[in-house]
């Protein structure tokens, strides 16, 4: 079955540490997105990519970085510059229609 | 820019009650409209969609009609169940950008 896979489901970060969240899709979608969701809140766009080797900042890109070397993959790195990284991170993809979401990664600070 | 407004939650209903969650939008042109549902600890799932005026999207007993004259896409269900407890997001796409509403939390009591 086609879909979006995010891993890991739970992730813990120590102070000053960078961590990378994985997002893989086999839907052959061109566009991919990263969102942050805080408890009881809506979605905030971090980064998006409309095509391989190109990506754009969203509304809250500071402290995050991404790469898009392959169509299927759009990893998100939460850097030590992100002072409040505890949140639920959602990856999505789309092509000429609705966005399809993964099951999310919950990041916590140790 | 484009925007989506939803009724504030939480919405609390008894089982078998009628549900309406209001959604209005602002957009240039004729966007596609979507409703997503998010169960606790999970990603967003597409619930239904409509791509042009007067289209009715439906799924799992939920319905919403694209009303261009009132720029609305209200979600309705005739008889809710405890299992419908979740957060519901209204969203639009103009082909380039996706915009999500803030979400409405629904709690259905037995």
């Amino acid at each position: 079955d086609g879909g979006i896979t995010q891993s890991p489901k739970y992730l813990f970060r120590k102070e000053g540490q960078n961590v990378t969240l994985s997002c893989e899709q086999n839907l052959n979608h061109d566009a991919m997105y990263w969102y942050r969701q805080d408890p009881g809140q809506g979605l905030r766009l971090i980064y998006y990519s409309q095509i391989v080797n190109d990506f754009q900042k969203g509304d809250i890109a500071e402290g995050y970085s991404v790469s898009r070397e392959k169509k299927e993959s759009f990893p998100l790195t939460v850097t030590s510059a992100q002072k409040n990284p505890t949140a639920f991170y959602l990856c999505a993809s789309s092509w000429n229609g609705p966005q399809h979401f993964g099951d999310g990664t919950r990041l916590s600070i140790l | 820019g484009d925007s989506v407004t939803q009724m504030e939650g939480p919405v609390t209903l008894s089982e078998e009650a009628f549900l309406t969650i209001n959604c209005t939008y602002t957009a240039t042109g004729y966007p596609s409209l979507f409703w997503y549902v998010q169960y606790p600890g999970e990603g967003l799932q597409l619930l239904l969609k409509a791509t042009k005026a007067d289209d009715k999207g439906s799924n799992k007993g939920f319905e919403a009609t694209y009303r261009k004259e009132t720029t609305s896409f209200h979600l309705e269900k005739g008889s809710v169940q405890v299992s419908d407890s979740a957060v519901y997001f209204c969203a639009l796409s103009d082909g380039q950008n996706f915009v999500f509403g803030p979400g409405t939390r629904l709690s259905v009591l037995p």
Side-chain angles (χ1 to χ4, degrees):
Chain A
D1 285 339
I4 299 179
T5 301
Q6 290 188 243
S7 61
K9 190 169 179 64
Y10 300 96
L11 187 58
F12 300 91
R13 193 190 91 169
K14 295 180 181 178
E15 294 287 344
Q17 187 180 49
N18 293 353
V19 290
T20 297
L21 284 61
S22 171
C23 178
E24 303 279 333
Q25 55 101 357
N26 61 5
L27 299 168
N28 201 33
H29 287 171
D30 285 319
M32 297 187 74
Y33 309 81
W34 274 106
Y35 294 93
R36 170 178 172 144
Q37 187 177 34
D38 291 289
Q41 303 297 311
L43 305 178
R44 291 190 289 171
L45 183 64
I46 304 173
Y47 268 98
Y48 65 99
S49 169
Q50 301 278 25
I51 198 168
V52 175
N53 292 323
D54 187 48
F55 48 83
Q56 306 296 328
K57 292 182 179 180
D59 301 320
I60 56 164
E62 186 174 351
Y64 300 96
S65 66
V66 293
S67 62
R68 187 82 188 279
E69 298 177 0
K70 298 187 300 181
K71 189 175 188 178
E72 303 80 14
S73 179
F74 192 41
L76 173 74
T77 296
V78 184
T79 75
S80 57
Q82 172 51 244
K83 296 307 179 188
N84 185 23
T86 297
F88 190 49
Y89 291 86
L90 287 162
C91 179
S93 71
S94 71
W95 179 81
N96 197 32
Q99 290 190 359
H100 298 261
F101 285 81
D103 288 335
T105 292
R106 189 168 301 280
L107 175 63
S108 301
I109 299 300
L110 288 178
Chain B
D2 297 348
S3 66
V4 175
T5 303
Q6 291 180 234
M7 64 188 290
E8 287 191 24
V11 174
T12 303
L13 296 173
S14 297
E15 204 165 24
E16 299 184 1
F18 185 87
L19 168 71
T20 299
I21 300 178
N22 291 337
C23 171
T24 57
Y25 67 91
T26 302
T28 55
Y30 304 98
S32 295
L33 301 174
F34 310 96
W35 276 102
Y36 286 83
V37 58
Q38 185 181 32
Y39 299 102
E42 299 183 8
L44 276 68
Q45 300 175 26
L46 180 66
L47 183 58
L48 53 84
K49 66 179 181 180
T51 57
K52 61 182 187 297
D54 300 324
D55 267 2
K56 177 185 283 189
S58 62
N59 186 26
K60 299 181 182 179
F62 291 90
E63 293 183 341
T65 301
Y66 191 144
R67 300 288 188 197
K68 177 172 169 285
E69 62 276 12
T70 55
T71 61
S72 65
F73 193 53
H74 304 321
L75 182 68
E76 297 181 335
K77 187 174 185 183
S79 175
V80 293
Q81 305 300 311
V82 172
S83 57
D84 293 326
S85 298
V87 180
Y88 293 82
F89 292 90
C90 185
L92 69 80
S93 172
D94 62 6
Q96 292 289 333
N97 302 303
F98 273 87
V99 178
F100 287 87
T104 301
R105 182 175 299 277
L106 170 66
S107 294
V108 180
L109 305 178

